[in-house]
Amino acid sequence: MKTIGRILIILLVFSLVMGMTYTIVNAGSSNSATTGPAFGRGDGERPEFPGGVRDDGRGFGFGSGLRMILGGIKNSVIIGVIVALVVIPKNRLRKKKRDAQEVTA
Amino acid sequence: MLQNETKNRSQTKIKLWIDVIIFIAFLIAMEPHASGITVHEWLATSLIAVLIVHLLLSWDWITNITRRFMRKINSTSRINYILNWLLFIDGTVIMLSGFMISESLMPFLGIQLPIGFAWRRLHDTSANIFIVLLGLHTALHWNWIVDTFKRYVFLPLAKLAPRISKKDIPA
């Protein structure tokens, strides 16, 4: 029962954030519709993707597998760099503090 | 007391494996051109359930910091709390914008949504921001990740290794 209540709270906050985002984006796009560039597309037409063609991955094979691995490595490296940028100085600072405390003690 | 400790231990283990699953699923979901749009959409949507479990497992910490946020708490917890909210909001924006430009999930459910460039741009931007936020989130939990991996993955493996090598070496 407690868990169901918690799940409902999470879903409620999730819906609130979604509702707010929807309102903001819709207000923004309706404002820019009058001033923004004309894309020459009819209602309900799908927007074009970068490069003009959407790779829907239907032909999943060696190429897409390799692409996924490379993409995964790229994202992992980005995360790794951020982790290193935060963790290394943080640990050095902590060590300095500990050393200073040992000297005074 | 012992029961609580066992419960905590199993919760930590579950948390670790759920986080590993989320991370791998995230890496796959971040490559829609490689995985295919159908896999991308269904995988990302199913991540909602896993993320709910992730939040439920951290519920005590969330409620504790929410109650004490305006009072005196340590700066790491405060930064962590704000960062977690940003991650939640950004994740929700990714989900919503993903639903709005959906090509597989929404049509499958028989839902037709209005299409706009703004949603596509928002989806890409929020996904890029998510990587940075996830990096910071990982960095703030780095000590926990290292400790938990040591305790529940590397140590059991190290204990297992001598047993295997002893079996391999003839007396």
Side-chain angles (χ1 to χ4, degrees):
Chain A
M1 200 65 196
K2 215 161 72 176
T3 310
I4 293 171
R6 288 171 180 180
I7 292 171
L8 286 175
I9 292 171
I10 295 167
L11 290 176
L12 183 79
V13 180
F14 189 65
S15 326
L16 275 174
V17 177
M18 271 196 173
M20 270 159 37
T21 311
Y22 186 82
T23 314
I24 292 166
V25 172
N26 263 5
S29 56
S30 61
N31 279 346
S32 64
T34 49
T35 53
F39 290 104
R41 289 183 163 272
D43 277 344
E45 256 184 271
R46 287 270 160 204
E48 257 178 39
F49 289 90
V53 186
R54 172 134 204 185
D55 181 359
D56 65 357
R58 272 177 197 126
F60 188 87
F62 179 72
S64 47
L66 187 74
R67 209 196 272 178
M68 192 192 288
I69 292 167
L70 290 176
I73 290 170
K74 184 196 81 188
N75 289 327
S76 303
V77 167
I78 293 170
I79 291 170
V81 168
I82 295 169
V83 170
L85 284 174
V86 175
V87 173
I88 294 170
K90 200 178 146 192
N91 284 352
R92 272 192 194 158
L93 214 80
R94 196 181 284 171
K95 205 187 166 197
K96 255 188 193 175
K97 256 187 193 174
R98 209 185 296 149
D99 289 348
Q101 270 176 350
E102 271 172 24
V103 167
T104 50
Chain B
M1 187 80 176
L2 195 73
Q3 219 174 359
N4 269 351
E5 207 173 295
T6 318
K7 194 185 162 194
N8 278 347
R9 225 180 258 179
S10 63
Q11 256 194 6
T12 310
K13 256 189 210 174
I14 295 169
K15 226 182 208 179
L16 175 74
W17 291 119
I18 282 193
D19 290 355
V20 169
I21 290 168
I22 291 173
F23 187 71
I24 294 169
F26 171 75
L27 289 181
I28 297 170
M30 280 299 285
E31 294 302 319
H33 295 280
S35 65
I37 203 70
T38 312
V39 172
H40 169 77
E41 288 183 14
W42 285 93
L43 183 69
T45 309
S46 59
L47 265 178
I48 295 176
V50 190
L51 285 170
I52 287 175
V53 178
H54 177 83
L55 290 174
L56 287 175
L57 288 171
S58 309
W59 193 260
D60 290 337
W61 183 86
I62 296 168
T63 47
N64 190 19
I65 303 294
T66 307
R67 266 191 228 120
R68 296 192 300 141
F69 189 74
M70 290 299 169
R71 282 180 257 159
K72 208 177 174 184
I73 51 168
N74 77 58
S75 55
T76 313
S77 298
R78 182 162 285 150
I79 293 168
N80 212 343
Y81 186 79
I82 294 168
L83 187 74
N84 287 340
W85 263 109
L86 290 176
L87 259 173
F88 183 83
I89 293 167
D90 193 47
T92 310
V93 172
I94 295 175
M95 289 287 171
L96 176 69
S97 52
F99 290 146
M100 296 306 288
I101 57 169
S102 167
E103 288 184 10
S104 168
L105 183 83
M106 288 297 162
F108 176 80
L109 297 173
I111 302 168
Q112 287 295 325
L113 293 164
I115 299 143
F117 278 97
W119 290 112
R120 166 109 210 125
R121 219 174 294 145
L122 187 66
H123 192 65
D124 290 344
T125 311
S126 50
N128 289 336
I129 292 170
F130 198 85
I131 296 179
V132 178
L133 291 174
L134 188 67
L136 291 171
H137 185 72
T138 312
L140 287 178
H141 291 86
W142 189 247
N143 291 336
W144 180 87
I145 294 167
V146 172
D147 286 346
T148 318
F149 257 99
K150 259 186 206 164
R151 196 178 300 165
Y152 297 112
V153 181
F154 299 133
L155 271 177
L157 280 176
K159 276 180 192 168
L160 218 93
R163 267 188 234 161
I164 294 166
S165 58
K166 267 179 198 169
K167 274 180 196 171
D168 289 346
I169 301 163

